[in-house]
Amino acid sequence: GYVRDRLIEQYGSETVRSGGLRVYTTIVPRWQKAAQAAIRETLTEPGDPAAAVISIEPATGAIRAMTAVVPGRRYNQFNLLSQARRQPGSTFKTFVLTAAVDKGIDPDTSYYVSAPFTYRPVEEGSCEDGKWWCVKTYDSSYRGWTSISRATLRSDNTVYAQLTLDVGPDRVAAMASKLGVRSPLDVNGSFVPSMGLGTIAVSPLDMASAYATLAAGGVYSEPTGIRVPFGSATL
């Protein structure tokens, strides 16, 4: 699991696998059970997708609950938390908004047109061949001239596509990394605008860590699952 990986980084695999380490984790047992129940009571069929839950204390980075489940399998797959990556979708828009505010954009007084939007980086192309980026809202409903704040409440893809382009995909990536996302966000060395809508795969740990930084008022704390410092572990 995640804690084992951190111990191996510190002590080496031979020491960890041979046993003898006494380790105290930051996990709160009842929260851990609640996280496991939240997944298992929702995803009840063998064909359901894998799921992961991780809870981080914003002030310290302490991981209070972490569990991952692959329906139909007996054992939890903890590598889903820190190693497996999935597209975060609209949850990544938070980093676009944060980068925009950092740039001096006021969400309440800055307006965009909510409508089907097409980004044409090249003259010849189409939505179908992938050379153009064609964006619609999830339910194909639009509000016209609207503030970023209202677009955020509606999770409007078309507004956030435009905002990502205006802020700059590179700035969005830099902000996400600054907040705690550690997965690579570039595509062949460049940052694509669709990143703002969550098309670049990241880990659940990335997202929990970055959101914890925001909850802590912008102060980043490295996530940790070990309560006692490595050097205090008893052999």
Side-chain angles (χ1 to χ4, degrees), residues 183-226:
S183 297
L185 297 173
D186 66 295
V187 177
N188 298 324
S190 62
F191 301 106
V192 297
S194 62
M195 173 180 55
L197 303 187
T199 61
I200 304 300
V202 296
S203 71
L205 179 61
D206 282 334
M207 297 305 294
S209 177
Y211 270 75
T213 300
L214 291 171
V219 179
Y220 170 76
S221 296
E222 183 178 0
T224 179
I226 300 175

Side-chain angles (χ1 to χ4, degrees), residues 14-154:
E14 185 175 345
T15 299
V16 173
R17 288 168 183 165
S18 64
L21 288 177
R22 183 175 300 165
V23 180
Y24 300 90
T25 74
T26 60
I27 301 296
V28 178
R30 63 187 179 89
W31 294 1
Q32 180 76 354
K33 290 179 180 178
Q36 292 171 349
I39 295 177
R40 295 194 181 280
E41 292 173 6
T42 302
L43 303 174
T44 59
E45 301 297 326
D48 283 337
V53 172
I54 181 166
S55 175
I56 295 177
E57 187 174 272
T60 64
I63 297 172
R64 297 309 188 187
M66 56 186 304
T67 188
V69 173
V70 178
R73 295 187 184 180
R74 181 178 177 184
Y75 299 105
N76 291 346
Q77 305 295 308
F78 281 99
N79 64 327
L80 287 176
L81 289 159
S82 59
Q83 297 174 352
R85 291 170 172 78
R86 302 289 187 272
Q87 291 183 338
S90 292
T91 57
F92 209 86
K93 290 175 183 172
T94 300
F95 309 144
V96 180
L97 182 61
T98 305
V101 171
D102 185 61
K103 192 177 180 181
I105 297 173
D106 186 336
D108 291 329
T109 59
S110 300
Y111 284 72
Y112 284 87
V113 175
S114 169
F117 172 74
T118 301
Y119 173 57
R120 300 176 174 85
V122 295
E123 186 174 345
E124 298 294 331
S126 69
C127 297
E128 289 71 25
D129 65 14
K131 292 182 179 179
W132 293 352
W133 184 34
C134 303
V135 185
K136 297 180 180 180
T137 58
Y138 179 77
D139 60 359
S140 296
S141 66
Y142 305 94
R143 296 299 178 88
W145 196 242
T146 187
S147 69
I148 295 174
S149 293
R150 290 186 178 276
T152 301
L153 294 175
R154 297 186 64 248

